[in-house]
Amino acid sequence: MAVVTLHGLIERSIDGLLPPYIQKLAGAYREQYATYQPADAKYLQMHKLHLLGVRPEEEKFLTEEFLRETTFTATEEVLRDRLKGFKDAGYNQFVVQLIPGHEDAIEDWARLFAKV
Amino acid sequence: MEFGIALFSNVDAWKTVKRAEELGFSHAWFYDSQLLAPDIFISMALAAEHSSKIKLASGVVIPTNRIAPVCADAFATLNKLAPGRIIFGVGTGFTGRNTMGMGPMKLSAMREYIRVVYGLLKGETIEWEFEGERKKIRFLNPEFGMINLTDKIPLHISAFAPKARKMTAEIGDGWITFSASTDRAAHEVGEMAKACREVGRDPKTLYTTAFALGCVLKPGESAASPRRVREPRRRRVRWRWSRCMD
């Protein structure tokens, strides 16, 4: 999701006020994006592994702060409180994405959801 | 609050859906991300065949990926496999269109697409514009029982901006958003409720769903601690970030 956020910032599909450090990350990613090939279809390189994994040249952008800010990543205790926030806000459903090759994470999520 | 999973469409996804059903998840949502992932409807059909209770939803169909009659056909066929368990999730297309160098489609075109799909699913004869001409179309042989137009297929719309929220309030059974932040999610559902009231709709009648991506960390585990996993059989190194993959 963190990398998806970066892709979205490049493609301007993600609006809204973002913290300055994310804007700075986006600026740096934009500079990197300018080198992607082919030159007339840079999106092809950028979207390789989109929602599947992280390309080596993207790893440097994934700081602890960025991951915590843009993904639903934390310990069970913290996530349980955040989920209660979604429930209190009135959401009928909370959906978590499972990544190919890591479907066993469903067991972690099931254990967490049972406590909400 | 119900809990669902969202999956990359693929021919093995049904195994995860089956496990999700066993664990009590209520919904399984499938991405319509051509060229990134395998076909959504093949994946949903396999999941329908191997499950009995869990709801199966497109999360979300991109209208420009297929003409409306084909989309209606796919959903009517899925509804035959899993009566009453199918949800038509739709959006203007970010990932699927971005990967082909395009931005999202026009909201007005999506609304028209929805009109055609649902007109057909209701068994109506409707007018459809294609290649510059308007033609009357309808399902020709629903009485043969090869498709299901009887059980309702709810419409859930992915909407992040005011006009899209207004459209959702006017015609949607459900609304989908993406948010990892509780504060932002609360703000967005508030905006969606406001959009409902502005069109004279009780917000409680709209089913609201939040998608999120993330990872349950073990105590003391960092969100950004890398581990290298070597797979001898594949003879390559796969990067793994604390089991948290983006």
Side-chain angles (χ1 to χ4, degrees):
Chain A
M1 184 63 192
V3 171
V4 169
T5 299
L6 285 172
H7 296 175
L9 288 171
I10 297 297
E11 287 160 340
R12 295 189 176 86
S13 58
I14 295 178
D15 289 323
L17 293 172
L18 291 168
Y21 82 92
I22 292 184
Q23 293 294 346
K24 191 176 172 185
L25 272 178
Y29 192 86
R30 202 168 274 119
E31 283 179 17
Q32 180 170 286
Y33 175 74
T35 68
Y36 284 178
Q37 296 294 324
D40 61 344
K42 299 181 197 304
Y43 50 85
L44 290 175
Q45 181 173 343
M46 184 169 76
H47 285 288
K48 173 76 177 171
L49 293 184
H50 186 92
L51 289 173
L52 279 173
V54 180
R55 294 194 311 282
E57 81 274 11
E58 290 178 320
E59 287 162 6
K60 58 182 175 285
F61 298 101
L62 302 182
T63 62
E64 172 103 20
E65 188 180 16
F66 186 50
L67 283 165
R68 288 192 180 274
E69 177 76 29
T70 58
T71 69
F72 200 73
T73 298
T75 59
E76 200 175 278
E77 193 177 55
V78 171
L79 291 180
R80 190 180 64 228
D81 287 342
R82 285 165 72 173
L83 279 170
K84 283 178 183 168
F86 278 80
K87 188 177 177 182
D88 292 344
Y91 280 91
N92 298 108
Q93 187 182 158
F94 184 86
V95 176
V96 62
Q97 185 189 12
L98 299 175
I99 307 293
H102 299 271
E103 290 86 355
D104 58 345
I106 194 175
E107 309 294 333
D108 294 338
W109 292 111
R111 199 168 45 247
L112 168 64
F113 295 156
K115 296 176 181 175
V116 176
Chain B
M1 186 165 71
E2 295 182 302
F3 294 101
I5 56 170
L7 298 159
F8 238 62
S9 296
N10 80 82
V11 296
D12 289 328
W14 68 266
K15 298 174 186 173
T16 308
V17 172
K18 191 175 175 191
R19 181 60 184 148
E21 186 173 83
E22 289 166 359
L23 289 168
F25 285 82
S26 60
H27 294 68
W29 299 78
F30 293 78
Y31 292 119
D32 186 18
S33 298
Q34 76 294 345
L35 305 179
L36 268 174
D39 182 78
I40 181 175
F41 290 112
I42 295 173
S43 307
M44 288 182 74
L46 287 167
E49 189 66 8
H50 289 91
S51 60
S52 58
K53 290 186 301 184
I54 194 167
K55 292 197 168 59
L56 305 169
S58 55
V60 291
V61 152
I62 302 173
T64 49
N65 276 358
R66 59 194 64 73
I67 58 174
V70 170
C71 185
D73 211 42
F75 277 98
T77 308
L78 282 173
N79 211 21
K80 171 72 178 173
L81 278 173
R85 292 200 284 133
I86 304 300
I87 292 172
F88 176 37
V90 66
T92 51
F94 284 98
T95 299
R97 286 174 60 92
N98 290 162
T99 52
M100 299 194 298
M102 296 182 283
M105 67 183 292
K106 288 188 189 307
L107 200 62
S108 55
M110 185 171 91
R111 186 166 189 148
E112 170 62 9
Y113 187 92
I114 292 169
R115 180 194 72 80
V116 174
V117 169
Y118 273 88
L120 291 170
L121 289 176
K122 283 180 195 167
E124 296 171 355
T125 301
I126 57 115
E127 278 202 356
W128 173 57
E129 183 168 335
F130 186 66
E131 295 180 348
E133 295 185 40
R134 286 188 81 80
K135 299 289 184 185
K136 286 190 169 63
I137 58 171
R138 63 173 174 237
F139 275 108
L140 293 171
N141 306 301
E143 70 278 7
F144 269 71
M146 292 185 287
I147 56 171
N148 178 0
L149 301 183
T150 305
D151 292 286
K152 182 181 169 160
I153 299 177
L155 168 67
H156 288 225
I157 302 174
S158 175
F160 308 114
K163 286 182 182 174
R165 283 195 287 264
K166 180 173 183 286
M167 186 178 82
T168 304
E170 289 169 345
I171 64 173
D173 296 300
W175 166 69
I176 302 162
T177 191
F178 287 76
S179 184
S181 154
T182 310
D183 289 343
R184 188 175 299 167
H187 171 76
E188 288 173 5
V189 78
E191 290 297 299
M192 189 62 242
K194 183 180 162 194
C196 283
R197 286 189 289 271
E198 285 172 353
V199 302
R201 177 178 185 167
D202 180 354
K204 289 195 179 69
T205 64
L206 184 71
Y207 187 98
T208 54
T209 300
F211 276 52
L213 283 153
C215 182
V216 184
L217 298 176
K218 294 175 186 168
E221 190 175 25
S222 163
S225 59
R227 273 187 278 130
R228 223 183 273 197
V229 177
R230 190 173 293 276
E231 294 182 73
R233 278 183 298 173
R234 293 186 187 175
R235 292 184 186 175
R236 66 181 174 88
V237 174
R238 186 180 68 195
W239 284 95
R240 222 169 163 193
W241 294 78
S242 302
R243 299 180 297 117
C244 303
M245 298 290 287
D246 284 327

